Amino acid sequence: MAFDAGRLTDGFGRRFRYLRLSVTEVCNFRCTYCLPDGWKRSGPLSFLTPDEIGRLAAAFSDLGLTKVRLTGGEPTVRKDFTDIVARTAATPGVEKVAVTTNGWNLARGIEAWRSAGLTHLNVSLDALEAEAFHRITGHDRLDEVLAGLDRALALDLQAVKVNAVLLRETAESGFDAWAAFVRDRPVSVRFIELMRTADNADFFAAHHVGGAALRTWLEARGWTPIARPADGGPAQEYRHPDHAGALGLIAPYAPGFCDSCNRLRVTARGKLRLCLFGEGGVDLRDLLADDADRQALGERIVGAMSGKRAGHLLAQSNPGDLSNLAQLGG
């Protein structure tokens, strides 16, 4: 089976340039919306090795993907995380290597990750006030996370962004503190609508608020939307002439959210997931042991694309088999 290198598309004409690769299911935070009781080991920690990750990145690069985001769980709990960054960055055709992290190890590790080839950084930061941060994450580490974020800003990364889950308390307390946060920092803060998973139905019902609350706030204060890059994520970002940074919104419940989908996911154990809120997956790991399987790996990825749906079923309260966001890196 031959494939058209550089043109990984689905049956709806969407082209895919962006891979979100989970490197571990382990997370050391206990966020209320994801793992309120902490991560629990349920089997062997047989996650993809750096060699397997290198072969995976090469196969996706053959198919035209130029951006790889390393996620978890919390990816930086892996002792070989810097090696994983280096292997991914060394892949011909991969132009952007990103990580999404809770920031616990950011201040200690960012220089090494940057030297290894990291180009983009996303920090999950749901509150700027210490008590709220502790209540949401289960940890009193806000100062450490902010110190790491500011250290990252001193480096020559292409982009530094913050992810904040939009909760009812966030909306009710307002967004003024976040606007002040990006006044002098060239950071994009993107609020992500709380998403329903198999394990958080009660929490979702109590804390979900639609993204319209943020959109209304932004537009009333002169923030204007900017265009999304071809290999960018799903955020609609807004800028203001008086601020160095940006504020944005990821609204998975909005009509048409999936129409511009440009990303695929691979789990920490090597399964291709066509949608965060899908079911099952296509096993790729048996083709990651040997460089000689690269063509077959690409063919299996292309062959799986016919199973990608037009969109998720969150509006029908169906999150697929996703138990929590740490399972696949959100």
Side-chain angles (χ1 to χ4, degrees):
M1 174 181 174
F3 55 83
D4 181 7
R7 292 293 297 178
L8 187 58
T9 60
D10 67 4
F12 304 94
R14 295 174 296 197
R15 181 176 177 183
F16 296 86
R17 300 177 172 89
Y18 176 10
L19 173 66
R20 296 181 62 99
L21 172 61
S22 175
V23 298
T24 181
E25 297 164 3
V26 178
C27 188
N28 55 351
F29 275 25
R30 302 188 302 274
C31 294
T32 52
Y33 52 82
C34 183
L35 292 173
D37 299 321
W39 175 79
K40 302 290 193 301
R41 180 170 176 164
S42 59
L45 303 185
S46 55
F47 303 137
L48 295 176
T49 67
D51 284 346
E52 289 174 317
I53 288 169
R55 294 186 183 105
L56 185 74
F60 274 101
S61 176
D62 289 343
L63 298 172
L65 276 83
T66 59
K67 178 179 179 180
V68 178
R69 177 172 300 282
L70 304 172
T71 69
E74 170 49 41
T76 70
V77 301
R78 285 191 57 156
K79 294 180 180 179
D80 57 357
F81 180 70
T82 302
D83 187 24
I84 290 171
V85 173
R87 294 296 297 271
T88 307
T91 305
V94 173
E95 300 168 357
K96 298 178 180 180
V97 180
V99 62
T100 296
T101 172
N102 60 28
W104 77 284
N105 198 28
L106 185 57
R108 292 185 295 273
I110 186 60
E111 282 89 354
W113 307 338
R114 179 67 190 99
S115 295
L118 189 75
T119 62
H120 291 65
L121 170 71
N122 283 38
V123 181
S124 297
L125 177 60
D126 297 308
L128 294 173
E129 191 271 323
E131 182 180 344
F133 181 91
H134 183 270
R135 183 171 64 252
I136 293 171
T137 67
H139 287 276
D140 185 18
R141 287 184 168 177
L142 177 61
D143 288 344
E144 295 174 46
V145 174
L146 290 176
L149 182 65
D150 285 334
R151 184 168 295 182
L153 286 170
L155 302 176
D156 60 341
L157 291 163
Q158 294 182 31
V160 177
K161 299 181 179 182
V162 166
N163 298 335
V165 175
L166 182 60
L167 303 172
R168 189 169 299 281
E169 66 176 288
T170 310
E172 290 176 350
S173 62
F175 304 101
D176 291 340
W178 290 102
F181 184 75
V182 302
R183 182 176 296 278
D184 299 314
R185 288 181 177 90
V187 173
S188 174
V189 175
R190 295 98 52 78
F191 292 90
I192 307 171
E193 281 186 343
L194 178 65
M195 292 173 276
R196 167 76 188 277
T197 65
D199 291 349
N200 76 352
D202 291 342
F203 186 91
F204 177 85
H207 295 276
H208 178 263
V209 60
L214 174 63
R215 211 178 280 115
T216 299
W217 187 94
L218 290 167
E219 292 171 355
R221 288 160 179 79
W223 292 75
T224 56
I226 59 176
R228 182 168 71 103
D231 64 352
Q236 174 60 68
E237 294 187 351
Y238 293 73
R239 290 198 173 271
H240 192 286
D242 296 334
H243 293 72
L247 296 176
L249 175 65
I250 298 176
Y253 288 88
F257 175 79
C258 298
D259 292 353
S260 58
C261 183
N262 64 351
R263 57 208 172 278
L264 299 170
R265 291 173 168 81
V266 172
T267 73
R269 300 176 192 271
K271 280 193 173 182
L272 173 65
R273 292 275 296 209
L274 301 176
C275 177
L276 176 62
F277 299 102
E279 295 183 353
V282 177
D283 195 5
L284 305 178
R285 197 164 195 178
D286 61 307
L287 297 177
L288 295 176
D290 194 311
D291 292 338
D293 290 326
R294 184 160 161 177
Q295 173 76 14
L297 179 58
E299 291 171 356
R300 185 175 295 178
I301 294 168
V302 171
M305 296 306 296
S306 62
K308 186 163 177 62
R309 300 181 310 207
H312 59 61
L313 302 176
L314 283 178
Q316 289 79 48
S317 300
N318 181 356
D321 60 9
L322 184 70
S323 296
N324 54 69
L325 294 170
Q327 183 182 348
L328 290 176

